[in-house]
Amino acid sequence: MAENKNKPTQVGDTGHVWDGIRELDNPCPRWWLNALYLSGLIVVVYFVLYPSLPLVHESTKGLLGWTQINEYKEDLAKVEAKRAPFDDKLAAMSVNEILADQDMLNYAIGSSKVLFGDNCAACHGTGGAPAAGAGYPNLTDDDWLYGGTVDEIEMSIAKGRQGNMPAHEKLLKPEEVDQLVKFAVDSSNGVTNEAGLALFNAKGCFACHGADAKGIKAMGSANLTDKIWRFSGDEDQIRHTILHGVNDASDKLTRVAVMPQWSQKLSVMLQARAYAIADGEDPDEIDWTDELDGTEAERLSETDIKKLAVYVHQFGGGQ
Ligand code: HEC
Ligand code: HEC
């Protein structure tokens, strides 16, 4: 056994004895004391360099002038400096050009996740699939009220959407309502219902839903012949839509379906460009001082809306 170099017999004794064990008075080890003095020194250095002592309104500032918020701002500036060239390039591209450029597409999709989460997910659900029965359209299927091309999706976001269907409670007899509910169910199941179709045409439903009941994009009227329901395929729910309509302010039980507008300015610009192209004019020649009066509200920038349009388009349902 190694000899105890502290030789307990030569060490001071505290005079305490516990259950026969003597408490000695050894000095602390050197390494331990040095570590203690060093940590004390670090505290003093830290105290001088960094904000430390809380005063009434703020703390002492420290010689380095470091603050958490500055550190955050510097990091943010670094991220923005990295993004700037992409955002500048993106600003000059159309949504179709972004779709065709894999690098820009990846960038747009990557930076849209947070945008979508912050602005859209509350209604459309994370990833574009809302909770069942929440009353919001699913953006991941290939059924579109207002069209599923990337241009149409961009317009939906910029302009906002609000389908209108009048309440039919006062316009239809109960047995006619039953017949139209049956027609909707039959159409969705691919069953021919001649009498139902005749009533559908006689009551003017075709004017909005189309003579084939497949819906008209310009109105956002739902396709009644597929298995995807805007609201619900439940017979009571179909009846409710027919009786009370959609966004019909005169009916208290009407369904509310409002997609907010995200940039009035962009929607005016997209519209003007589409008209110019339809008229065989060069959209780059448009005089924007004529088209825009400067009061158009913008809740999201044009670049952010482009990013979101391609993001939604690649959910799986884009056309
Ligand atoms: C307050 C709820 C709400 C928010 C927030 C919202 N939407 Fe919508 N959105 C709707 C509703 C409701 C409709 C359907 C309108 C209708 O039925 O006429 C819709 C429709 C759409 C459509 C058209 C779908 C189709 O079938 O043609 C797209 C695309 C869309 N939203 C994308 C977005 C994006 C992107 C955002 C975020 C910037 C967003 N929405 C934010 C409620 C919302
Ligand atoms: C003025 C236009 C208009 C007329 C007329 C109209 N609809 Fe609609 N209808 C719509 C629109 C727009 C929607 C989709 C609303 C939305 O999502 O914002 C809709 C939705 C529906 C739905 C819900 C479909 C689903 O997928 O959940 C049913 C069912 C329906 N309509 C049946 C009818 C029938 C039957 C008639 C005739 C009695 C009729 N509609 C007349 C515009 C119209």
Side-chain angles (χ1 to χ4, degrees):
M1 221 177 161
E3 183 109 329
N4 184 346
K5 57 181 180 313
N6 287 334
K7 300 215 177 70
T9 46
Q10 294 170 17
V11 173
D13 190 323
T14 58
H16 299 153
V17 179
W18 312 95
D19 288 340
I21 299 172
R22 218 149 46 87
E23 186 183 350
L24 303 181
D25 192 15
N26 275 317
C28 296
R30 190 100 305 257
W31 68 264
W32 188 91
L33 278 177
N34 285 344
L36 178 72
Y37 299 144
L38 187 68
S39 52
L41 190 68
I42 291 175
V43 167
V44 174
V45 171
Y46 223 86
F47 197 87
V48 174
L49 293 182
Y50 288 93
S52 34
L53 196 66
L55 305 175
V56 181
H57 293 297
E58 51 185 7
S59 67
T60 51
K61 294 214 183 319
L63 292 179
L64 291 183
W66 179 93
T67 68
Q68 235 167 7
I69 193 75
N70 279 346
E71 185 171 83
Y72 166 77
K73 281 183 187 155
E74 279 163 23
D75 286 351
L76 195 68
K78 277 186 213 149
V79 172
E80 275 168 3
K82 265 196 194 153
R83 281 187 179 171
F86 283 98
D87 276 343
D88 289 348
K89 197 172 163 201
L90 209 115
M93 293 169 87
S94 74
V95 279
N96 279 299
E97 287 165 347
I98 300 170
L99 278 190
D101 181 330
Q102 194 59 49
D103 283 346
M104 293 309 284
L105 181 60
N106 290 345
Y107 170 68
I109 291 170
S111 52
S112 284
K113 286 189 184 120
V114 172
L115 268 180
F116 192 87
D118 285 353
N119 299 293
C120 323
C123 292
H124 292 289
T126 9
Y136 300 108
N138 188 328
L139 303 178
T140 66
D141 57 24
D142 54 7
D143 188 47
W144 296 93
L145 294 160
Y146 300 91
T149 68
V150 69
D151 291 308
E152 288 163 332
I153 294 173
E154 184 185 25
M155 191 56 150
S156 286
I157 303 170
K159 192 176 173 202
R161 299 291 197 185
Q162 186 167 345
N164 283 295
M165 166 161 162
H168 281 75
E169 194 169 26
K170 300 197 181 93
L171 307 173
L172 298 171
K173 297 192 199 93
E175 55 276 18
E176 289 172 333
V177 175
D178 290 343
Q179 223 177 328
L180 288 167
V181 171
K182 184 159 188 314
F183 170 71
V185 172
D186 285 347
S187 300
S188 152
N189 291 326
V191 176
T192 332
N193 177 342
E194 293 293 346
L197 181 62
L199 191 62
F200 178 82
N201 285 322
K203 295 299 171 187
C205 315
F206 76 94
C208 294
H209 289 279
D212 55 4
K214 285 191 168 28
I216 300 177
K217 275 195 291 198
M219 299 191 195
S221 53
N223 181 346
L224 303 180
T225 66
D226 59 12
K227 296 213 177 292
I228 300 174
W229 294 92
R230 165 65 179 89
F231 300 107
S232 155
D234 192 78
E235 285 190 22
D236 287 342
Q237 296 295 322
I238 299 174
R239 181 173 286 107
H240 187 98
T241 307
I242 298 177
L243 290 176
H244 305 291
V246 180
N247 294 322
D248 181 341
S250 69
D251 189 314
K252 275 194 200 125
L253 295 175
T254 197
R255 291 192 187 280
V256 177
V258 180
M259 158 77 183
Q261 179 178 62
W262 295 91
S263 172
Q264 194 181 3
K265 181 175 172 201
L266 180 59
S267 74
V268 172
M269 291 173 74
L270 292 172
Q271 195 86 70
R273 285 180 159 270
Y275 285 149
I277 291 167
D279 290 348
E281 288 160 15
D282 180 356
D284 292 332
E285 300 285 301
I286 297 173
D287 179 1
W288 292 114
T289 46
D290 273 359
E291 299 292 337
L292 299 168
D293 65 9
T295 62
E296 292 86 0
E298 271 185 294
R299 295 169 64 207
L300 283 177
S301 73
E302 191 177 334
T303 312
D304 283 348
I305 292 178
K306 283 186 203 172
K307 288 179 186 170
L308 283 167
V310 297
Y311 182 63
V312 169
H313 185 263
Q314 60 78 50
F315 277 159
Q319 290 161 355

